[in-house]
Structures are given as structure tokens and as C-alpha cells.
Amino acid sequence: MKDRKASLNLYSPCDWKAVERHLTRMAAKGWRLEYVGHACWHYRRAAPAAVHYAVTWLPGLSAYAPEPTVEEADLSELCAAAGWQKVCGWGNMMIYANDQPDPVPLITDERLRLQNLHAAMKKGSLLGMGVVFGGSAALALLLWPVWAISYRTAPDVTVLLAVCALGLPGVWLLSYWGWYRTARLAVEENRPCPVNRAAGWLELAWLAAALCLAGRYLYQEWFSDPRQFWYSLCFTAGLIGLGFLGDGVRRFLRENGSSKAGNIAAALVAALVCAVALVFALQLLFPA
């Protein structure tokens, strides 16, 4: 019987209630969250129990800073006084657990919840989506003739690329700012801060569109140039592997007290070395 397992993380930090419900259900099935890795939840087996989970955000928390930071330690000490024990972090989100039957809520100030969440999102998903949308829009303007030609030759691929690069990131940004305006009005009227479920669904749609785009490209390569198909497949698998390796290096260094600058430098060096090794391996497998 396995003592550990992993599952895809399909949740958005904006939908904290879904995260809390998911982790509570897993604990009831006998799986306790151990840590959040590269796009995955990692669990360890335990006795099934009624465990309450709650999340909060530390906007200044860095995924590369040594663990725990002073701010993180102070927060965990305050939470422990109310029975909430730190489980792990996910970016600048902190996850806590409490096995009491009716625990004191971790966050009672809805205005503070929204303030911390928004500050964390500005350094995370909001920044990332903004970079993707802005960079894609700039490239689309510069390479408009190329896009027009590609649309005539491969309209389905061009449309999928536009959806991935511009459509879904743009809709996500509009959806987020619409939610934030609604949430800010709610907390000003002393109502609970609403969750942003749309963000998670749009992120899943973005992932699905990207997978469809990759699948369509590989399908074309399979029939037009099988050698290029296998090259592209190995290259993609290598990039995914580099992502998991980089996350493992970052987490190992953070847990062992490496400084933020040292962790970032080591992650960059590891990524560079592995990227060179990947290119060298592909050249050996697919010589010109």
C-alpha cells in the first residue's frame, strides 16, 4: 500500500474555499497534505480524520527565501495559539490545519483577506497573465502579416494560438478585475469576501487550449515529418522535466536554509546546465 501519492493541482488561489474543501475531503479519506509541488498536491497516508483547513496569504513571501521567514514564523505562532498548525506554503499562500471540531476561523477580517489576496495575486497570477497578454499583443502587432499568412494556411492552429496567447489571458484579466471590484464593494459593505471561481475555470480552459494546440501541432508533425514529431515530443518532455527538477532544487535549498539570492542563483545555474544537457541529448538522438 502506498504511503504517499500526488495529484494535479487544478485550483486557483482565488478560490480558497475550494482549496479548503478539497483538503478536508482528502483528510477524511486518509490523505494529509504534505506539500504543494510543481502543479501537484503531494499527500502522505494517515488515519482518516475530520480536519479543517484554512488558507491565508503573505504577499511578501518569496518561494526562494529560506523557510521559515520571520513574517511566516510570526504568523504561524499566532495561528498555533488558536489551534491552527502550519502545513505548508503554496507560492505566497499559507495552508493551515486544525483538528478541533469547531475551530475559531483563521481569518475574521474580510477586508484584510481581500487586501492580502489581491497583493499576493499582483505578484503571482495577475502579473503572469499580464505579461503573457502584453507580450502576445506586442508580438501580434509586430508580426501581423505572418499571422495573416498562417491563418490562410492553417486557420485552426492560428485560432488556437490566438486563444492561448490573447483570448483567454485577456478574458482572465477582465474577469479578475471585475471580481475584485465586486469583492471590494462587498467588504466595504461588511459582507463576506466572495471567492473568484471564474479564475480557476479560465486557467483550466487555458491549459486545455494549450494542450489542444500542442496536440494539433504534434498531429501535423506525425504525418508530415515523423522525425520532427519525435524531436518535438522529446523536447516538450524535457522542458516539463526541467520544470519539476527546478522546483525540486528550489524546495530543497529553501528547506535547508539557503539564502534567497543563493537559491535563485542555484536555480538559474541548474536550469542552464540542464537546458544545455537537454540540447546535447537531443543532438545525439536526432543528429542533423
Side-chain angles (χ1 to χ4, degrees), residues 22-82:
H22 169 74
L23 297 178
T24 296
R25 286 195 301 266
M26 293 301 293
K29 295 177 182 178
W31 292 103
R32 300 286 186 94
L33 179 67
E34 192 169 26
Y35 67 93
V36 185
H38 190 63
C40 290
W41 300 111
H42 293 263
Y43 310 92
R44 70 179 188 281
R45 185 175 291 281
V51 181
H52 298 273
Y53 284 86
V55 301
T56 186
W57 299 267
L58 285 174
L61 184 64
S62 170
Y64 294 93
E67 189 177 24
T69 64
V70 174
E71 186 181 13
E72 186 180 343
D74 290 343
L75 176 62
S76 296
E77 184 178 349
L78 289 173
C79 293

Side-chain angles (χ1 to χ4, degrees), residues 96-115:
Y96 292 88
N98 193 323
D99 56 5
Q100 296 177 5
D102 189 20
V104 176
L106 184 65
I107 299 178
T108 56
D109 187 339
E110 296 295 305
R111 189 184 300 271
L112 181 61
R113 183 201 300 274
L114 178 61
Q115 177 183 333

Side-chain angles (χ1 to χ4, degrees), residues 6-13 15 18-19 22-23 33 35-43 89-91 93 95 200 203-204 207 244:
S7 65
L8 282 176
N9 180 3
L10 301 177
Y11 296 95
S12 167
D15 192 359
V19 171
H22 169 74
L23 297 178
L33 179 67
Y35 67 93
V36 185
H38 190 63
C40 290
W41 300 111
H42 293 263
Y43 310 92
W90 172 24
M93 171 190 279
I95 303 175
E203 287 166 9
L204 289 177
L207 176 61
F244 280 97

